[in-house]
Amino acid sequence: MPSVTPDDAPLLADLMPWSVAPIRLGRGWPTAPDAATLKARWDALVKAEVPERETLFEPTRSRTLHSAVSQLPGQSSGTEKLIRATGPAPEPVRVLRAPFDEQWLIPDHRLLDVARPELWRVADEQQVFVVETPVAPGASGPFLLASSILPCSAPAASAPLPPPRSRGTQPGAGPVGPPGHPPRPLPTPADVLAWTVTTARPGPTVPLTRDPEIWSQGVELGHRVLWLLRRNGDRPKLPGGRRPYVRAPLPPLPSPSTTTVTRRPSTSTRAASPRYHPSPGTSR
């Protein structure tokens, strides 16, 4: 980029100085792909007697059935020690368990070894979390992900997007530009975030440019990337607006002791009930 070398590119920490280490669960069972499974696991825990309850809980040095902790910000979980806990599970919430892996989590401070309350405190409809992804040396990325839901996988930087306001109400905001060039408006926080997600490099660093055309192209691409990553809370859809679903469960695998496979020239191959037809000769 013009006038910017890799050594000159600012660090992500300079652009987003507020960052938090990842949430450490300490146990895997408080997360699941569906909320119903979590409620069933909680019911099994609180209905179990003490010896079995301890086994189900999977205690660590940070959390046991006797740990006393406060509620997470914005959550309504109980605060009594789990050794005496009863009642239904706290309502599960969506979290980013791993890159591109959204799951459900029981938002109970007693279940999480390191819950990072500061992350829960800033989570709302306008909050955007920028998540650093572990990328192997020499890989092309992506180095950053953006999420509207709480990340539980990697260090997260906060990128709050304030509601849009009139330019005239923003202190110090106005058209700017080098002498002799048409003035252009200051970039918005959303534009800076879009550029950052698109151009981040190992470090992570964020190259900048003085070329307005390159900046516009990067911001436009970044907004598209942000929409794909966040989807504004919408569930993934197939082309045409259809949602993916399973039409029918896969049949059980046949027993190796009873399965017979026969091969006949120019005919289909049979293995239990499925039929596997030979490939055309041109594709062999």
Side-chain angles (χ1 to χ4, degrees):
M1 294 184 177
S3 306
V4 178
T5 66
D7 294 335
D8 297 329
L11 296 173
L12 176 66
D14 295 332
L15 298 179
M16 297 182 181
W18 192 87
S19 63
V20 179
I23 294 174
R24 192 171 78 243
L25 300 179
R27 53 199 52 80
W29 67 264
T31 61
D34 62 284
T37 297
L38 294 179
K39 294 180 179 180
R41 291 173 180 174
W42 174 272
D43 288 342
L45 177 72
V46 298
K47 291 178 181 178
E49 298 297 332
V50 173
E52 183 183 3
R53 182 178 297 202
E54 186 169 10
T55 301
L56 293 174
F57 177 71
E58 300 176 5
T60 62
R61 292 172 58 185
S62 300
R63 288 290 184 271
T64 69
L65 294 178
H66 300 275
S67 298
V69 293
S70 60
Q71 289 181 340
L72 290 171
Q75 303 302 318
S76 57
S77 59
T79 56
E80 64 179 334
K81 296 180 180 180
L82 285 175
I83 194 73
R84 299 187 300 269
T86 59
E91 193 62 31
V93 298
R94 296 284 284 177
V95 295
L96 187 67
R97 185 67 181 89
F100 306 103
D101 181 17
E102 294 184 6
Q103 295 194 24
W104 293 88
L105 169 72
I106 300 177
D108 194 313
H109 205 173
R110 298 169 294 180
L111 306 182
L112 312 177
D113 276 14
V114 183
R116 309 294 179 193
E118 55 271 42
L119 278 179
W120 296 84
R121 191 171 293 114
V122 299
D124 58 26
E125 293 78 8
Q126 296 180 350
Q127 180 69 46
V128 180
F129 296 100
V130 178
V131 182
E132 298 179 28
T133 60
V135 179
S140 58
F143 298 98
L144 299 177
L145 298 177
S147 172
S148 296
I149 59 177
L150 202 68
C152 294
S153 57
S158 174
L161 300 184
R165 297 181 295 174
S166 170
R167 290 261 180 217
T169 64
Q170 299 184 30
V176 295
H181 290 74
R184 55 183 184 270
L186 287 171
T188 66
D191 290 343
V192 174
L193 174 60
W195 174 270
T196 299
V197 171
T198 306
T199 62
R201 297 293 182 267
T205 60
V206 183
L208 300 177
T209 180
R210 295 180 180 177
D211 189 318
E213 183 175 351
I214 294 178
W215 171 266
S216 297
Q217 293 175 353
V219 169
E220 181 180 0
L221 176 60
H223 280 297
R224 176 60 177 170
V225 171
L226 286 173
W227 182 87
L228 291 172
L229 291 173
R230 300 172 58 209
R231 301 185 311 279
N232 298 325
D234 296 333
R235 297 178 61 186
K237 294 182 180 180
L238 295 172
R242 296 173 299 164
R243 289 183 175 175
Y245 67 96
V246 178
R247 293 182 179 273
L250 294 174
L253 293 175
S255 172
S257 60
T258 59
T259 300
T260 58
V261 178
T262 58
R263 177 69 177 174
R264 299 171 185 166
S266 302
T267 62
S268 62
T269 300
R270 298 174 181 267
S273 57
R275 295 171 61 88
Y276 305 90
H277 291 272
S279 302
T282 55
S283 63
R284 294 178 182 175

